[in-house]
Amino acid sequence: MSRFIPLSIPNFEGNEKKYVDDALEQGWVSTGGAYIAQLEQMLAQYLHTRNVAACQSGTSALHLSLIEAGVRPGDVVLVPPLTFIAAVNPVKYQFAHPVFIDCDDSFCMDPVKLAEFCEKECEFAGGDLKYKKKSVKAVVVVHVFGNMADMDGIMDVAERYGLKVIEDATEALGTYYTEGRYAGKYAGTIGDFGAFSFNGNKIITTGGGGAVTAKNEKVVDHMRYLSTQAKDDPHYYIHHEVGYNYRMTNLQAALGVAQMEELPEFVRRKQSNYEEYRSEFEGFRFAELMPFREGTSSNKWFYSLRINRDKITASMRDIITELEREGIQTRAIWGLINEQKPYDEEITYQLEKAPYYAARILNIPSGTQITRDEIRFVADKVKRLLEGLANE
C-alpha cells in the first residue's frame, strides 16, 4: 500500500498551537479562562444567535437540552433511528422513552411520518400530546452529515402539538437555509435548542467538546450553570440544583478559537471537494453520490455513496475491507439504533427508508486536506471495485 487517504481527520493549519501555548503559559487549562468566553462569543456571532454555552461534548449539549425541555422519567421523546447512538442515549439518561420515527431521503427525520404518528397514534387534549398515556415532550432532529432536515415541516408539527424541538447539529455547523421562511437561519438555531459537537472528526474540533444554544438566552445561562455543577457560591460550595461536569476546558476552547477562525475556509473546501466527487461519479451505474437538500447551503461534512443493491450484493464490510487494502478509509452508515441491544424493545414507527439506506450508504474520504488527485484516486478505486463486484 503506497498511500493512505483517511476518512476525516483534524486540520490544524492556523493558530491552534499559538493559542494552546498561550493558555498553558497563563495556567488557565481547566473549566475557567478567557478562551471559553471567546469561543462562545465567536459561535454566537457566527450562528447569528444571542447566547452559546460551550460544554464537554455534543452528547452533554443534548442532555442539557432535554433537561431544559422538561423531559422527565416516563415521558416520550421522538427520535431518529439512522444516526449515531449518542443522539438518543441522553433520552435514556432522563429515564424517558424514545420512539423512533423514519427518515426521508436526506437521512433526516421525515416530517410527514412525524405528523402521522402524532395524529394517528397519539391523543392531543389540553395542549398535551400523549402516547399510550405517556406525555410526548420533545423531538430530537439530527441534521445528518451536514444535510439540513426539513425544518419547515418539523416545526409545523412541533408547533401544532406543543413539542420542544432539539436540533442535533453536531454534524452541521455552517449549514443554513438559503430559501423559505428560515432563509439565513443556521442548523441549530431554528428549534428550541441546538447542540453542536467538536469531536476530532467534525468540521472543527476542540479534541472533544461541544456547545449548546437555545431560543431563550436565559435558558442558555441556566445550561451553563448546570454544566459547572450548579455552583451558586463557588467559595463556600453552595448548590441549589443537581449539576453536571459538562463545562468545556479553557485548553479545549483555545483550540476551538483557532478552528473557528478557519471554519469558513473549511466549509468552502468541503463544498468544493464534494463538487469534485460529484463530477467523478456522475453517470456511474453502481453507486450514486447523495445530494444535499435544495434551498440550503450545506457544510457538506460527509459524502455518501448509495450503493446500487440491484447490482452489488457484496456486504458493506467486504467493500470497506477491500478499499482499506487500497489505502482508502471508508465507513458504513450507522447500524440502526432501534436494532441495538439497549433499544431493541423500544417503539418504532413506519421504518422503511432508514433500513433501506442503512444497507446502502458508504461514506468516502471527506477531510479538508484531501487533494484533487486524491479525490480522483478514491473515485477510481471505488468505481473499479464496484464494477468488479457487479452481478451482470
Side-chain angles (χ1 to χ4, degrees):
M1 186 171 65
S2 59
R3 67 201 301 184
F4 175 71
I5 303 175
L7 183 67
S8 180
I9 57 175
N11 188 338
F12 303 128
E13 56 186 39
N15 290 311
E16 288 84 4
K17 188 175 187 303
K18 176 183 175 182
Y19 296 162
V20 170
D21 284 347
D22 180 55
L24 288 169
E25 289 169 6
Q26 292 182 26
W28 288 97
V29 298
S30 191
T31 54
Y35 280 110
I36 300 173
Q38 185 177 349
L39 177 60
E40 291 173 336
Q41 291 165 5
M42 293 175 79
L43 285 164
Q45 183 177 10
Y46 182 86
L47 295 167
H48 302 155
T49 190
R50 292 181 178 181
N51 200 355
V52 174
C55 50
Q56 274 290 346
S57 64
T59 308
S60 62
L62 290 167
H63 188 201
L64 291 169
S65 298
L66 287 165
I67 293 169
E68 295 292 344
V71 174
R72 299 291 180 262
D75 290 340
V76 168
V77 179
L78 308 180
V79 299
L82 190 65
T83 185
F84 184 45
I85 200 169
V88 180
N89 282 342
V91 175
K92 291 282 191 177
Y93 302 167
Q94 291 301 101
F95 300 96
H97 303 285
V99 171
F100 293 93
I101 307 295
D102 201 18
C103 67
D104 60 20
D105 291 318
S106 70
F107 310 144
C108 306
M109 186 175 287
D110 185 343
V112 174
K113 290 183 178 176
L114 175 65
E116 287 178 356
F117 175 81
C118 294
E119 179 183 350
K120 297 179 179 179
E121 304 295 326
C122 301
E123 295 181 358
F124 185 60
D128 189 16
L129 185 68
K130 289 190 179 292
Y131 173 69
K132 295 183 177 179
K133 299 184 179 180
K134 299 182 180 71
S135 291
V136 183
K137 287 288 183 66
V139 53
V140 176
V141 180
V142 181
H143 301 296
V144 178
F145 300 152
N147 203 356
M148 182 78 84
D150 182 351
M151 293 304 293
D152 268 299
I154 290 167
M155 292 302 295
D156 282 346
V157 176
E159 289 162 5
R160 188 180 313 145
Y161 294 106
L163 303 177
K164 295 292 185 181
V165 176
I166 299 168
E167 290 183 78
D168 181 334
T170 54
E171 300 171 355
L173 179 63
T175 295
Y176 62 92
Y177 270 101
T178 58
E179 300 174 6
R181 66 167 162 163
Y182 295 123
K185 296 287 286 184
Y186 281 80
T189 69
I190 298 170
D192 297 280
F193 305 92
F196 301 88
S197 171
F198 310 130
N199 194 30
N201 65 345
K202 296 302 189 290
I203 195 164
I204 69 168
T205 185
T206 58
V212 63
T213 190
K215 278 186 177 178
N216 186 331
E217 60 183 306
K218 291 183 178 179
V219 168
V220 180
D221 288 335
H222 189 248
M223 288 192 283
R224 186 181 290 109
Y225 162 77
L226 291 179
S227 75
T228 53
Q229 296 291 14
K231 290 184 289 188
D232 290 276
D233 187 329
H235 301 293
Y236 291 95
Y237 301 100
I238 304 301
H239 308 264
H240 292 153
E241 295 185 56
V242 174
Y244 304 86
N245 184 21
Y246 280 173
R247 192 71 166 137
M248 179 182 282
T249 69
N250 198 50
L251 210 54
Q252 291 173 308
L255 194 62
V257 167
Q259 291 273 285
M260 280 298 297
E261 293 174 349
E262 299 173 83
L263 178 56
E265 172 61 13
F266 289 169
V267 172
R268 186 197 68 78
R269 292 186 195 179
K270 291 274 192 180
Q271 293 172 339
S272 176
N273 291 339
Y274 174 83
E275 292 303 319
E276 290 287 334
Y277 272 125
R278 190 173 64 83
S279 176
E280 291 291 330
F281 284 102
E282 190 171 7
F284 185 59
R285 291 184 300 147
F286 304 120
E288 173 196 8
L289 187 66
M290 293 294 290
F292 291 83
R293 187 178 299 282
E294 292 185 5
T296 71
S297 176
S298 171
N299 71 358
K300 293 182 168 64
W301 175 62
F302 252 26
Y303 313 142
S304 301
L305 283 177
R306 178 173 61 181
I307 305 298
N308 183 346
R309 284 301 184 190
D310 292 334
K311 303 292 184 181
I312 309 292
T313 57
S315 72
M316 199 64 75
R317 185 180 297 276
D318 287 342
I319 293 171
I320 291 169
T321 301
E322 287 301 316
L323 289 170
E324 189 170 358
R325 292 192 180 114
E326 296 285 355
I328 300 168
Q329 185 180 37
T330 58
R331 70 163 223 193
I333 204 169
W334 310 276
L336 297 179
I337 300 175
N338 58 286
E339 295 178 355
Q340 310 294 326
K341 189 172 182 179
Y343 295 97
D344 60 7
E345 295 184 1
E346 301 292 352
I347 300 298
T348 64
Y349 186 70
Q350 294 188 7
L351 299 194
E352 297 164 323
K353 290 193 174 180
Y356 172 87
Y357 285 117
R360 288 165 173 79
I361 294 301
L362 176 75
N363 292 125
I364 56 179
S366 60
T368 55
Q369 304 98 320
I370 194 170
T371 66
R372 289 187 178 183
D373 176 66
E374 289 173 330
I375 289 172
R376 285 190 283 268
F377 176 81
V378 170
D380 180 66
K381 292 294 185 182
V382 170
K383 287 191 286 188
R384 286 177 182 269
L385 174 62
L386 295 181
E387 285 168 348
L389 293 171
N391 298 322
E392 62 174 31

